Amino acid sequence: MKFFIGLTDYDWYSELRQRNYDEVNFWRPGSTRFQALQVNDLFLFQLKKPYYAIVGGGFFVRYSYVPIDLAWKAFGMKNGTQTREAFVDRIMKYREKNHIITTLPSIGCIILTQPFFFDEPDWIRQPGDWPVNAVVGKSYDTSTSGVAQRVNEQVQKRLSMQLQSPGDQSSNERYTEGITKLRLGQGAFRIVITELYQRRCAISGEKTLPVLEAAHIKPFAMNGENAASNGILLRSDIHTLFDAGYVTVTDQHRIEISKRLHDDFGNGKDYYHYHGQKLVVEPSDQLLMPARDNLRWHNEHVYLG
């Protein structure tokens, strides 16, 4: 079993530990990519000096390098600060401290689902042979490291006490699904859909990121999931029309514009040229395409055709 231990500050830990969030953003101030884990692998939080203790973790969803504004809109206080201003201040502080020279308004986002935090009596203290010289963290493999085995055993013991209830799945079983069924939070859903559609509106091809929105095909309020198969990236005006039933996508990925758009508002010609066209952007992985059942549900229950 592989896992990664990332170094973080006490402030980030203390801000998030009582929140009971379904996801967190373990962000990085620079642009260095994170490629150490696969989907659902374990990511652990270790406090920096003077604590050097493992205080929790989460399960890896994906890494994305996104504008700071998008990171805040997607995750808000799940970034570990209470305000956007505090978030930006902390990013700039770390850039200065670590001599990260960049004018780019973007950060690296290590998106984690089902985060867990240990109370101080349950912190996993640093054993004598545990390395402390890593700058951002390090990956470990229980098949090749005795230290990693011991840490994993202690984490699993604490997880089982936190997560187990009568009839519940074990911690090992409940995090083995792929991203097609991964229990994403709202922020992760937004980032995942944005990346899957290459930051372009699936219908218009629009690339201006601030006006692009991750749309649920089956609304979350109607038991629609935060899953890749239930999402599509749309320009904000098209998203509004999609939710209102004036636009839909068939299970053959053809766009349909309802005649009701003209009947109800006396216009809509800017949208009718999309009618009958195929989506201009789709996920490259067939497993991450919009589910046909979800598209059919929207056609039958939302679309005003």
Side-chain angles (χ1 to χ4, degrees):
M1 174 183 174
K2 292 183 179 180
F3 61 86
F4 187 91
I5 297 180
L7 301 186
T8 191
D9 288 334
Y10 184 86
D11 288 346
W12 188 88
Y13 158 79
S14 61
E15 181 64 38
L16 293 170
R17 63 182 291 268
Q18 300 294 343
R19 299 290 185 178
N20 198 31
Y21 289 137
D22 58 349
E23 61 182 354
V24 295
N25 181 20
F26 193 94
W27 51 269
R28 288 180 162 182
S31 59
T32 303
R33 290 191 58 81
F34 180 80
Q35 299 175 307
L37 297 179
Q38 300 296 316
V39 173
N40 279 317
D41 281 348
L42 182 63
F43 187 109
L44 298 176
F45 312 139
Q46 179 178 343
L47 296 183
K48 298 176 182 177
K49 185 179 180 181
Y51 305 100
Y52 294 128
I54 294 172
V55 298
F59 297 85
F60 181 67
V61 175
R62 74 182 294 124
Y63 168 87
S64 294
Y65 185 65
V66 303
I68 293 172
D69 280 346
L70 177 55
W72 180 256
K73 288 177 182 178
F75 297 104
M77 290 191 295
K78 298 174 185 178
N79 288 296
T81 63
Q82 294 191 23
T83 66
R84 181 189 179 280
E85 290 72 21
F87 180 46
V88 173
D89 286 346
R90 191 171 293 181
I91 292 168
M92 298 309 163
K93 181 186 76 173
Y94 282 118
R95 286 183 173 178
E96 181 178 354
K97 179 180 178 180
N98 296 296
H99 308 290
I100 298 172
I101 302 174
T102 179
T103 58
L104 295 176
S106 298
I107 57 170
C109 297
I110 300 173
I111 303 168
L112 306 172
T113 189
Q114 301 297 306
F116 54 89
F117 296 91
F118 303 143
D119 293 330
E120 187 167 350
D122 295 323
W123 286 2
I124 300 173
R125 303 291 176 175
Q126 178 183 314
D129 53 353
W130 191 253
V132 298
N133 58 350
V135 176
V136 295
K138 188 176 179 181
S139 57
Y140 294 89
D141 191 333
T142 57
S143 66
T144 59
S145 168
V147 173
Q149 290 177 15
R150 295 197 301 273
V151 169
N152 182 58
E153 289 170 0
Q154 293 182 65
V155 169
Q156 294 301 326
K157 181 179 179 180
R158 287 160 175 75
L159 264 182
S160 63
M161 290 189 293
Q162 282 192 4
L163 301 177
Q164 288 286 97
S165 61
D168 195 10
Q169 294 171 292
S170 72
S171 59
N172 285 331
E173 291 174 336
R174 60 190 290 167
Y175 300 107
T176 56
E177 295 177 330
I179 197 170
T180 54
K181 296 183 179 180
L182 195 64
R183 292 175 294 177
L184 302 177
Q186 184 63 34
F189 174 79
R190 181 170 185 168
I191 299 296
V192 166
I193 296 301
T194 299
E195 297 297 305
L196 286 178
Y197 287 84
Q198 305 162 45
R199 305 188 182 191
R200 296 177 61 197
C201 172
I203 289 177
S204 70
E206 177 62 55
K207 300 178 182 179
T208 308
L209 194 56
V211 302
L212 300 182
E213 299 175 350
H216 288 88
I217 299 169
K218 185 176 183 180
F220 191 73
M222 300 291 292
N223 297 317
E225 296 180 323
N226 283 335
S229 59
N230 190 42
I232 186 170
L233 192 67
L234 299 175
R235 198 175 66 202
S236 57
D237 58 327
I238 296 176
H239 184 186
T240 298
L241 296 176
F242 184 83
D243 286 351
Y246 294 104
V247 176
T248 197
V249 178
T250 72
D251 60 5
Q252 299 300 311
H253 295 186
R254 293 282 179 183
I255 302 159
E256 292 192 0
I257 311 296
S258 173
K259 63 182 181 66
R260 286 277 300 275
L261 183 60
H262 180 271
D263 294 344
D264 291 352
F265 302 105
N267 53 31
K269 65 179 182 179
D270 289 343
Y271 300 98
Y272 281 108
H273 72 274
Y274 296 123
H275 187 78
Q277 295 184 11
K278 290 208 69 173
L279 296 178
V280 295
V281 185
E282 297 177 334
S284 58
D285 188 337
Q286 290 293 318
L287 295 176
L288 302 178
M289 290 284 192
R292 288 189 173 186
D293 287 348
N294 291 332
L295 292 172
R296 289 168 182 163
W297 185 92
H298 190 272
N299 299 164
E300 296 171 3
H301 296 280
V302 179
Y303 183 53
L304 303 172

